[in-house]
């Protein structure tokens, strides 16, 4: 829970959230745009017979997040962690249940879209504008973003097109752009898995600063060390269900004992 419970302010409430994906398995015969449109128009009835498979990705998850918390999400691949973040960000609809947020949630993933044909410099500007920063704010923070990312340590890469970057360099720049702004709710999906330990330490420090500045941070990571170093609380999901919610060390230790990871 929040470090000061007397002043705890909820930022995210997940109330019995269920999220279901519908995947077309091709069982409906030859595919065409017309056939796909007909299926949509007929609605959901008889989906199974037309080759639509339901994947119940999140199953009845409930929790309340508070301002000032850094919350880690752990669990095996396919446990629903990233899906849950996308629902909190408003990018996925709930099949049932509700998600309530106070303020604007921002989702940062290693696959977050920047424009490959534009330079890193232009992407910093566009990324900042997309997050609601003014041009003046971006100009003031520009050098800090570049320095934080470390992509210029071995050359003037910020002036080159993003397509020339390694995946690690691009991910570091995405994180640096997102971390330049104070967020009501910031969700980070595996961003700390990229880059060297020096960048990870800088990232972990910035996450602690963000939550001290009255925001809430969610972090999905397969690195238990990053979770321990960064988070005050952990949600453990498996097969879409919330198995445990509590203090970081308690939950991570139980996870490690159960899974051997």
């Amino acid at each position: 829970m929040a470090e000061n419970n007397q002043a705890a302010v909820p930022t995210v409430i997940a109330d019995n959230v269920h999220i279901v994906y519908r995947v077309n398995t091709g069982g409906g015969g030859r595919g065409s745009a017309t056939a796909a449109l007909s299926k949509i128009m007929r609605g959901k009835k008889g989906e199974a017979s037309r080759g639509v498979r339901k994947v119940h990705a999140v199953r009845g998850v409930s929790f309340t997040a508070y301002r000032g918390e850094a919350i880690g999400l752990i669990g095996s691949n396919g446990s629903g962690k990233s899906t849950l973040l996308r629902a909190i960000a408003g990018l996925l609809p709930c099949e049932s249940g509700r998600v309530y947020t106070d303020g604007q949630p921002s989702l940062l993933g290693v696959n977050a879209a920047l424009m490959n044909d534009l330079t890193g410099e232009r992407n910093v500007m566009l990324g900042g504008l997309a997050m609601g920063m003014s041009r003046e704010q971006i100009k003031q923070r520009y050098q800090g973003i570049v320095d934080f990312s470390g992509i210029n340590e071995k050359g003037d890469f910020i002036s080159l097109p993003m397509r020339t970057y390694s995946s690690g360099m691009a991910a570091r720049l995405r994180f640096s752009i997102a971390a330049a702004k104070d967020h009501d709710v910031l969700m980070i999906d595996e961003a700390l898995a990229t880059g060297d330990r020096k960048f990870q330490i800088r990232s972990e420090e910035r996450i602690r600063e963000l939550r001290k500045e009255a925001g809430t941070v969610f972090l999905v990571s397969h690195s238990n060390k990053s979770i321990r170093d960064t988070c005050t609380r952990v949600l453990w999901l498996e097969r879409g269900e919330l198995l445990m919610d509590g203090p970081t060390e308690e939950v991570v230790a139980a996870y490690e004992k159960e899974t051997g990871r």
Side-chain angles (χ1 to χ4, degrees):
M1 295 295 170
E3 292 177 1
N4 183 356
N5 287 326
Q6 291 182 341
V9 177
T11 54
V12 176
I13 299 172
D15 181 15
N16 195 29
V17 170
H18 290 261
I19 300 170
V20 176
Y21 290 108
R22 288 174 174 81
V23 182
N24 191 338
T25 61
R30 294 177 62 186
S32 69
T34 304
L37 181 58
S38 296
K39 288 180 180 181
I40 295 170
M41 295 301 292
R42 286 199 299 266
K44 298 176 182 178
K45 187 177 179 181
E47 285 174 333
S49 64
R50 294 199 302 275
V52 176
R53 179 186 168 202
K54 290 184 179 182
V55 179
H56 203 153
V58 173
R59 301 169 179 266
V61 170
S62 296
F63 67 87
T64 301
Y66 297 90
R67 191 161 292 158
E69 286 190 311
I71 301 175
L73 277 73
I74 62 175
S76 58
N77 288 333
S79 61
K81 305 182 297 294
S82 297
T83 298
L84 183 59
L85 288 194
R86 289 174 64 81
I88 294 170
L91 300 175
L92 282 177
C94 297
E95 184 80 1
S96 62
R98 294 288 299 275
V99 174
Y100 305 91
T101 60
D102 178 25
Q104 177 62 47
S106 303
L107 174 61
L108 168 68
V110 293
N111 293 321
L114 292 181
M115 302 189 73
N116 279 336
D117 288 334
L118 297 184
T119 64
E121 183 177 6
R122 291 294 297 159
N123 273 295
V124 169
M125 179 64 70
L126 290 174
L129 291 172
M131 289 193 306
M133 296 166 64
S134 68
R135 290 182 180 273
E136 190 58 38
Q137 287 174 320
I138 298 166
K139 287 176 183 177
Q140 290 171 357
R141 302 178 193 187
Y142 172 80
Q143 194 57 51
I145 292 170
V146 176
D147 292 345
F148 188 97
S149 72
I151 64 171
N152 264 10
E153 289 177 356
K154 296 182 180 180
D156 186 24
F157 282 96
I158 197 67
S159 65
L160 296 178
M162 285 278 294
R163 66 172 178 272
T164 66
Y165 293 9
S166 68
S167 59
M169 289 169 62
R172 294 202 306 274
L173 184 59
R174 291 184 188 102
F175 180 87
S176 302
I177 294 168
K181 180 179 183 289
D182 296 338
H183 298 266
D184 300 316
V185 178
L186 177 62
M187 292 166 287
I188 304 165
D189 194 347
E190 291 291 6
L192 300 190
T194 62
D196 56 21
R197 185 57 188 157
K198 184 168 68 171
F199 179 75
Q200 290 176 19
I201 291 170
R202 287 204 301 271
S203 302
E204 290 163 2
E205 236 170 61
R206 180 56 183 146
I207 288 173
R208 285 190 284 270
E209 290 172 5
L210 285 167
R211 69 180 179 83
K212 284 178 184 176
E213 290 158 6
T216 303
V217 179
F218 289 87
L219 172 65
V220 169
S221 178
H222 288 290
S223 167
N224 293 347
K225 180 171 178 19
S226 288
I227 293 287
R228 281 189 166 104
D229 289 347
T230 308
C231 300
T232 56
R233 173 183 170 192
V234 171
L235 307 179
W236 174 12
L237 283 82
E238 291 295 347
R239 297 183 179 179
E241 296 181 355
L242 181 58
L243 295 190
M244 196 171 180
D245 172 5
T248 297
E249 187 54 43
E250 182 181 324
V251 178
V252 173
Y255 174 71
E256 290 174 338
K257 182 177 180 182
E258 178 70 22
T259 64
R261 294 173 186 164

